[in-house]
Amino acid sequence: MTKQLETLNTNSRYLHDKLVVLAERITQKMPEPLRVMYAVCSGSEANDLALRVARANVAGAWHVAVMEGAYHGHTTATLDLSPYKFDGPGGMGKPPHVHVLPCPDVYRGSNLEGRAAAQAAVAAAHQAGGRISAFYCESILSCGGQVVLPAGYLQDVYQVMHEEGALCIADEVQCGFGRVGSHFWGFQLQSVVPDVVTLGKPIGNGFPMGAVIMSQKLAKGFSNGMEYFNTCGGCTAAAAAGVAVLEAIEQDKLQQNADDVGTYLIHNLQALQKEYPCIGHVRGLGLFVGIEMVIPGSKQPAPATAKFVKEGLKIRRILVSTDGHHNHVIKIKPPMCFDRSNADSLVTHLVELLKLGVPVAVQELDRAYNPEKKSTRIQNTTWQSFSVTDAGTHSS
């Protein structure tokens, strides 16, 4: 990328071999008929452009279906598609043209039927006098709590949406590029072929870029005479960065590493569940892992315990995050070069922290937490001010 910057850096209005090479290499990893790439600056912009493509191709349809807890970006249009944001602080609530499918919960055995959820969304759009133009879904729900969809879920949803005439958009911004280990793209886990795929974050390994992948047919439907180009996401430096990332994934065998190390890490985390009952559920694929924290002896979410673990690990110089509908799922998505020794270190420090016992003050916050309250992930915030250094008495 540095070499490219020193040589030439123009936008996508100007032909350059690197842009063609990047488009070819990415689309070669996609199933037919996904053979056209649009270059953008970010995952947010990718999802924003995908919405324009859907509305250009599905005449008269303006409504959109999304998953509960989803995050698809920070533009005006994509905030409307993100329950993670519009149900959060400062959010304006669900827009009338957006319909939310409940998040599948394999741990508790609820909302597992994709067909029923999709049919309900279509019916809600019709009742509101509209039609669905697009269904967005992260192939693994990240902000929703590292949720791996039940087998066949997307097949059923896609069938209902396609019968409605809607496009199915796979958001691979967080889970793409081999992170799930067994497959290069997360949607392949569900044996589906999306109409559109949106890419972001990992495509440039830190360089601000993204992409939207679609068929020739959809690209033609979108091409109505209004020129599309991208100054930064489509610049030659971005193309060089994208090509370099694909080469590194292949040469360093990062997808294989994610598969091996992720399987190893998940197995070792699951082994802790019996000894530490605050760990309710360990889930994920490859280096896309979630640990759901619960009140021991129940499946009630424990957001304060999750924060205690997150902050305790940070003191030990290990960075994890929390997400999920109640902010109670430890999110582990390390760099793709993360190896078994790094996984051992993570588990060792987690055990050291949990051996201390969850502080009484933290347990009291969790017991006082109301998971039935609307938008509890952020509206019930008393536990958020809790400091791990002020934990007080510990209890096993």
Side-chain angles (χ1 to χ4, degrees), residues 51 54-55 58 61-65 131-135 164-169:
L51 183 60
R55 287 173 172 169
V58 186
W62 198 256
H63 289 226
V64 183
R131 288 174 49 231
I132 293 176
S133 63
F135 164 66
E164 173 70 357
L167 301 187
C168 294
I169 300 171

Side-chain angles (χ1 to χ4, degrees), residues 280-300:
H281 192 218
V282 176
R283 55 179 175 258
L285 291 164
L287 292 176
F288 199 110
V289 182
I291 307 174
E292 183 161 348
M293 309 305 291
V294 298
I295 297 174
S298 76
K299 293 185 178 181
Q300 291 295 309

Side-chain angles (χ1 to χ4, degrees), residues 6-131:
E6 292 173 344
T7 307
L8 175 72
N9 193 30
T10 59
N11 64 51
S12 59
R13 275 177 165 165
Y14 302 97
L15 296 178
H16 191 278
D17 288 348
K18 276 281 194 318
L19 283 167
V20 177
V21 171
L22 176 62
E24 287 179 343
R25 292 194 181 180
I26 286 184
T27 55
Q28 283 169 3
K29 290 186 173 294
M30 295 281 176
E32 291 284 359
L34 302 173
R35 290 295 176 262
V36 177
M37 185 193 88
Y38 284 81
V40 296
C41 291
S42 67
S44 295
E45 196 176 65
N47 282 321
D48 193 291
L49 181 61
L51 183 60
R52 289 177 57 194
V53 172
R55 287 173 172 169
N57 279 276
V58 186
W62 198 256
H63 289 226
V64 183
V66 299
M67 299 298 298
E68 180 186 8
Y71 173 61
H72 295 295
H74 60 76
T75 68
T76 299
T78 55
L79 280 174
D80 281 351
L81 311 182
S82 303
Y84 183 75
K85 290 296 186 181
F86 65 59
D87 277 337
M92 301 296 290
K94 185 181 77 63
H97 69 283
V98 174
H99 308 279
V100 180
L101 281 66
C103 181
D105 188 341
V106 176
Y107 177 43
R108 295 171 181 82
S110 60
N111 304 320
L112 304 182
E113 298 296 328
R115 186 178 304 278
Q119 289 171 337
V122 169
H126 291 175
Q127 187 173 10
R131 288 174 49 231

